[in-house]
Amino acid sequence: MSDPHTPRTMGQQFGRRSWAEPWKIKVVEPLTMTTRAQREQALREAGFNTFLLRSDDVYIDLLTDSGTNAMSDRQWAGMMLGDEAYAGSRNFYHLEAVIQQCYGYRYVVPTHQGRGAEHLISRTAIRPGQVIPGNMYFTTTRLHQELAGGRFVDVIIDAAHDPHDPHPFKGNVDLAKLEAVIASEGAANIAYVSLAGTVNMAGGQPVSMACVKDVRALCDRHGVKLYLDATRLVENAFFIQEREPGYADRSIAQIVRELCDLTDAAWMSAKKDSLVNIGGWLAVNDEGLFEELRNLVVVYEGLHTYGGLAGRDMEAMAIGITESMQDDYIRSRIGQVRYLGELLADWEIPIVRPTGGHAVFLDARAFYPHVPQDQFPAQLLAAELYLDAGIRAMERGIVSAGRDPQTGEHQFPKLELTRLTVPRRVYTQAHMDVVAESVKAVFDQRAAATGLRIVYEPKYLRFFQARFERV
Ligand code: PM9
């Protein structure tokens, strides 16, 4: 069933009454077009890793939605209001007030980006040997939890691991799994429950408000804290508004606030939802935890009133947060991702269903059933997409999952995905058409593709810097 919010299907349903973005373009940035021969050379030099390509060699860049947002004229104007004082910048106080109002937490600590916040919360809230249950791992989040001596345990519902399961809230926590972890480890040995909305590695899938309420109640029964990765919470709120009974008439801002109010603290990579190119924060309700975080931030990020950011960046973030909560904006944002997903689904190209918030995830196992997982089918698919039309995607499979810290063996995730991540307010519908047609061309050539082997592998977060060659 098509979704009524998709621009294309709106036209089909109501007879050419299409729906478009609530903004127009004021500044443009030229793109580079390359030949196949140039791309072959660039990919070889990049060791078949799209992270190692120069962006000048990329035509349509769907590597990530992180820090790739187009800012509004208001945000650029805000940059001129940057107060670059070392201490007590007025932009920090503006940002603090906006976070307190929109996300609802009492205390705010700015950080340079999401992983700066993950580092601080992990160091502060995890004792060595403790367990952190969560709704699927995220690469940087789990690494910081492990570096702090913790162990992540996945408690997401089984449907999240099945690319074709149409569950509307595939980010939900399986309460029985969570209860079992608390029972086996003991509540005192749970550092906190780590809840993400949306869930990136599951395909940008949302968590429902009903589920968060249940998790909150379970945490309360056991005296366990509930912390939120709010990186794409605005996108999550859109899915709640669209799919969850009782929320159709609530605004995105109200839903975000209601969900945050069910949690004890949050960390944020503002480079996603908040429509900026850099920035992050931690926000908590507990004064003692805040004291520790505020002290630690000066060691690793910068003074507690800038946390590694320029004043102008904090101003752009404050304005971006407000813009991100506007219902028309978020509908167009998700609508564009869904438009791409529906084009591919119409052509029977295997993607994660339902289409998530920030990206369309291609099911690389279904693309290349003849390529074993330890020959990196999703990495291969990203490479083939680049070769076909200069489109840059990202691997989200076995390379991203990394090695087991105990055994050193590959971890084999059920999902072997290649992510077409859509930057916010950057590309047009015509770009999405070009992307879809390239994916189709690569799909039609799938039988000829051969696997990859690793020739260089760094110790941490290998997907960023590993190098490959064809088997
Ligand atoms: N996510 C992404 O492309 C950028 C780096 S990893 C390829 O999806 C969540 C849910 C994220 C995230 C980054 C971070 C870390 C935390 N949580 O990149 O450090 O998706 O700002 O945030 C990326 P930073």
Side-chain angles (χ1 to χ4, degrees), residues 365 372-374 397-398 401-402 409-416:
R365 270 184 208 278
Q373 197 172 13
D374 60 3
I398 184 170
E409 296 298 320
H410 287 309
Q411 308 196 75
F412 287 82
K414 288 202 182 109
L415 296 174
E416 181 69 25

Side-chain angles (χ1 to χ4, degrees), residues 122-143:
S122 302
R123 281 185 89 103
T124 314
I126 300 171
R127 288 196 313 276
Q130 280 191 316
V131 165
I132 308 98
N135 53 345
M136 199 172 272
Y137 86 97
F138 184 70
T139 52
T140 56
T141 318
R142 184 180 63 187
L143 179 61

Side-chain angles (χ1 to χ4, degrees), residues 51 63-67 111-118 137-141 144 196-201 229-232 267-272 278-280 358 361 394-396 400 419 421 461 463-464:
F51 276 101
L63 182 72
T64 178
D65 62 328
S66 181
T111 61
H112 79 282
Q113 62 182 82
R115 72 200 72 174
E118 290 171 338
Y137 86 97
F138 184 70
T139 52
T140 56
T141 318
H144 280 296
T198 60
V199 180
N200 192 349
M201 303 300 281
D229 181 339
T231 296
R232 296 184 183 85
W267 66 89
M268 177 80 181
S269 169
K271 299 171 72 174
K272 282 79 164 175
I278 193 72
H358 64 303
F361 288 69
M394 185 199 290
E395 194 268 6
R396 295 276 74 162
S400 295
R419 191 180 74 177
T421 337
L461 302 174
F463 60 93
F464 282 129

Side-chain angles (χ1 to χ4, degrees), residues 12-300:
Q12 284 163 359
Q13 279 180 335
F14 305 120
R16 301 309 309 163
R17 296 301 298 266
S18 295
W19 189 93
E21 285 79 5
W23 40 261
K24 58 184 178 175
I25 297 166
K26 190 177 323 217
V27 176
V28 297
E29 179 181 345
L31 297 175
T32 327
M33 314 282 283
T34 49
T35 63
R36 172 119 193 164
Q38 286 170 328
R39 293 196 290 277
E40 272 168 7
Q41 186 181 343
L43 190 68
R44 248 193 326 275
E45 286 170 9
F48 287 83
N49 186 345
T50 50
F51 276 101
L52 301 180
L53 289 167
R54 289 167 183 251
S55 91
D56 278 343
D57 292 330
V58 172
Y59 174 36
I60 300 177
D61 200 346
L62 305 187
L63 182 72
T64 178
D65 62 328
S66 181
T68 52
N69 302 305
M71 293 206 298
S72 69
D73 51 359
R74 271 71 174 169
Q75 286 175 291
W76 280 107
M79 299 283 278
M80 285 303 292
L81 302 178
D83 168 9
E84 306 307 341
Y86 186 89
S89 161
R90 79 175 76 90
N91 312 115
F92 167 72
Y93 296 107
H94 181 198
L95 175 66
E96 180 186 49
V98 169
I99 295 170
Q100 285 167 336
Q101 190 205 331
C102 292
Y103 291 90
Y105 302 99
R106 229 167 280 151
Y107 305 106
V108 176
V109 178
T111 61
H112 79 282
Q113 62 182 82
R115 72 200 72 174
E118 290 171 338
H119 174 215
L120 300 185
I121 194 77
S122 302
R123 281 185 89 103
T124 314
I126 300 171
R127 288 196 313 276
Q130 280 191 316
V131 165
I132 308 98
N135 53 345
M136 199 172 272
Y137 86 97
F138 184 70
T139 52
T140 56
T141 318
R142 184 180 63 187
L143 179 61
H144 280 296
Q145 291 164 349
E146 288 171 356
L147 290 173
R151 179 166 57 87
F152 177 83
V153 178
D154 187 10
V155 294
I156 203 166
I157 56 172
D158 289 343
H161 294 282
D162 176 356
H164 309 295
D165 193 310
H167 195 297
F169 290 104
K170 283 169 98 170
N172 277 357
V173 171
D174 182 326
L175 293 173
K177 286 186 194 171
L178 177 56
E179 186 93 61
V181 175
I182 297 174
S184 67
E185 301 293 334
N189 207 29
I190 305 291
Y192 52 89
V193 172
S194 180
L195 182 80
T198 60
V199 180
N200 192 349
M201 303 300 281
Q205 302 295 329
V207 56
S208 71
M209 191 72 81
C211 172
V212 182
K213 285 181 185 165
D214 288 344
V215 173
R216 171 80 266 171
L218 183 61
C219 287
D220 284 347
R221 274 205 302 284
H222 294 282
V224 171
K225 297 285 184 205
L226 178 57
Y227 294 171
L228 176 72
D229 181 339
T231 296
R232 296 184 183 85
L233 188 61
V234 178
E235 292 174 359
N236 197 111
F238 174 82
F239 290 114
I240 290 176
Q241 188 189 60
E242 180 186 62
R243 298 176 184 169
E244 194 160 352
Y247 287 92
D249 296 329
R250 308 291 301 280
S251 70
I252 293 297
Q254 286 170 328
I255 296 170
V256 164
R257 187 59 199 267
E258 182 180 336
L259 202 149
C260 289
D261 286 351
L262 291 164
T263 69
D264 299 299
W267 66 89
M268 177 80 181
S269 169
K271 299 171 72 174
K272 282 79 164 175
D273 264 357
S274 306
L275 297 165
V276 285
N277 306 120
I278 193 72
W281 47 260
L282 271 163
V284 305
N285 289 329
D286 182 280
E287 197 178 349
L289 179 59
F290 171 62
E291 269 299 311
E292 277 189 64
L293 292 167
R294 193 172 69 148
N295 191 204
L296 215 52
V297 76
V298 303
V299 182
Y300 293 105

